[in-house]
Amino acid sequence: MMKQNQIRPNGYQETIRKGIAAVRAFPSGVSRGAGSREEQLARLKAEIGRADALVIGAGAGLSTAAGFTYSGERFDRYFGDFAARFGIRDMYSGGFYPFPDAETRWAWWARHIYYNRYIDAPKRVYQTLLETVRDKDYFVITTNVDHQFQRAGFDKKRLFYTQGDYGLFQSVDPAIRKTWDNEDWVMRAMEAQGFVRDAGGVFQPGSAGVAMRIPSSLIPKCPDDGSDVAMNLRADDSFVEDEGWHRASAAYADFLRRHADSHTLFLEIGVGANTPVIIKYPFWAMTAENPKAVYACLNYSEAFCPRKIEDRSICIDGDAGAILEQLK
């Protein structure tokens, strides 16, 4: 497999290089785009219709717009006991909390995975996006790890999850470079805590309350050697880029090559400042390189573009779900 990975293109590394280069390529400041909101919406709708190819880059803002919020009512409902005992304020920070034992830590992660990976998002934002681009030649690159593109019906062969997947475990042993599905474990761990399925099949806290620990026998282990496991999420060099990851990376590189000179719309949705070098900056660079390309940014309070490509950019400030509904 290593030989094959060395030969085939690595879209992730290529896009990172473009992103790093783009930081130095746009020294003249940024723009919020030209024209009124209505004009930009109309232009985006026209570009989606005219473009030969769509490259969709999605960040956390898209899932937030779909209702996958990490604080507030969802957090209080499913993690209120953890908040009360440990002072955790949101799901994101809970992922880094030093829990007192493995039974408690994996009880947390079972809930975190389930409510952000194995249920549909509360709002149909991903489905609306699919309805908008279904008939186009598209490809999706995303830093999201919640699998919502695939759940909404996007073609799996047109998806590249760069930062991992809540639905996968990996061994803590660096010599074991593979991943495996965790769905069966998650369901058993939810039941062990006392969650019960509602009429729609979604786990809810049971009437007798829920436990904050799972049995020691349920602590997940690597099937190869019984070693401890970790989430398949990119945090450092221990992240496992498995065979599926490499296939998706190569497919992304191939899509970009095939459309390097096409009328391509780079549609960025909900990408913040945490990982701009993966999506935002490369999109800027590829738009600048291709005079037929157009860059569009949908973002709540962070919709902007370099002045260098302002004439071929569309920047729409607002909730991504509301914007996509308006495009319909």
Side-chain angles (χ1 to χ4, degrees), residues 40-242:
Q40 299 227 46
L41 279 167
R43 189 174 162 209
L44 177 57
K45 188 171 184 177
E47 284 296 338
I48 292 173
R50 287 196 299 254
D52 298 319
L54 265 70
V55 184
I56 301 167
L62 180 60
S63 285
T64 299
F68 269 177
T69 52
Y70 273 26
S71 59
E73 191 276 333
R74 286 184 81 236
F75 176 74
D76 294 340
R77 179 172 179 79
Y78 301 123
F79 296 89
D81 49 353
F82 279 91
R85 179 175 172 185
F86 299 110
I88 299 171
R89 299 298 179 88
D90 58 69
M91 294 184 217
Y92 180 78
S93 59
F96 301 95
Y97 191 87
F99 292 108
D101 50 61
E103 289 83 356
T104 306
R105 182 174 71 254
W106 284 111
W108 166 279
W109 272 108
R111 300 188 202 183
H112 189 119
I113 298 165
Y114 178 77
Y115 289 113
N116 295 293
R117 171 61 168 80
Y118 288 116
I119 63 171
D120 292 336
K123 301 177 184 177
R124 296 188 72 259
V125 174
Y126 281 89
Q127 289 83 351
T128 301
L129 177 58
L130 178 59
E131 291 163 8
T132 305
V133 306
R134 188 192 302 273
D135 298 327
K136 303 297 296 186
D137 189 4
Y138 71 83
F139 199 97
V140 175
I141 178 172
T142 181
T143 53
N144 295 343
V145 294
D146 52 27
H147 211 63
Q148 288 304 301
F149 278 103
Q150 208 161 322
R151 292 188 68 88
F154 281 79
D155 183 352
K156 182 179 180 180
K157 295 178 181 178
R158 294 171 178 264
L159 300 175
F160 180 24
Y161 293 92
T162 64
Q163 308 302 83
D165 183 345
Y166 276 146
L168 298 176
F169 283 150
Q170 66 179 59
S171 173
V172 298
D173 181 350
I176 301 177
R177 306 300 293 174
K178 34 184 198 181
T179 63
W180 59 94
D181 293 339
N182 61 27
E183 183 173 7
D184 178 67
W185 175 84
V186 169
M187 302 309 163
R188 288 187 289 119
M190 291 296 287
E191 290 175 347
Q193 292 177 71
F195 285 86
V196 295
R197 295 185 187 273
D198 61 18
V202 176
F203 277 118
Q204 302 292 347
S207 57
V210 292
M212 298 171 62
R213 289 166 55 89
I214 60 170
S216 300
S217 60
L218 262 184
I219 295 173
K221 298 291 182 180
C222 173
D224 283 10
D225 66 355
S227 61
D228 291 335
V229 307
M231 299 297 300
N232 182 232
L233 304 175
R234 189 185 298 277
D236 52 36
D237 290 344
S238 67
F239 174 68
V240 173
E241 297 173 353
D242 63 10

Side-chain angles (χ1 to χ4, degrees), residues 242-287:
D242 63 10
E243 174 62 18
W245 187 96
H246 280 285
R247 280 199 306 270
S249 178
Y252 180 57
D254 179 64
F255 188 89
L256 293 178
R257 282 197 181 89
R258 285 190 289 109
H259 296 289
D261 299 316
S262 302
H263 180 177
T264 302
L265 173 63
F266 290 95
L267 177 57
E268 176 196 309
I269 310 175
V271 175
N274 286 338
T275 52
V277 76
I278 298 173
I279 296 173
K280 184 183 292 291
Y281 296 166
F283 277 22
W284 291 356
M286 289 184 283
T287 301

Side-chain angles (χ1 to χ4, degrees), residues 124-125 128-129 131-132 319-328:
R124 296 188 72 259
V125 174
T128 301
L129 177 58
E131 291 163 8
T132 305
D319 177 85
I323 295 170
L324 292 170
E325 282 293 335
Q326 288 177 294
L327 289 176
K328 288 173 62 180

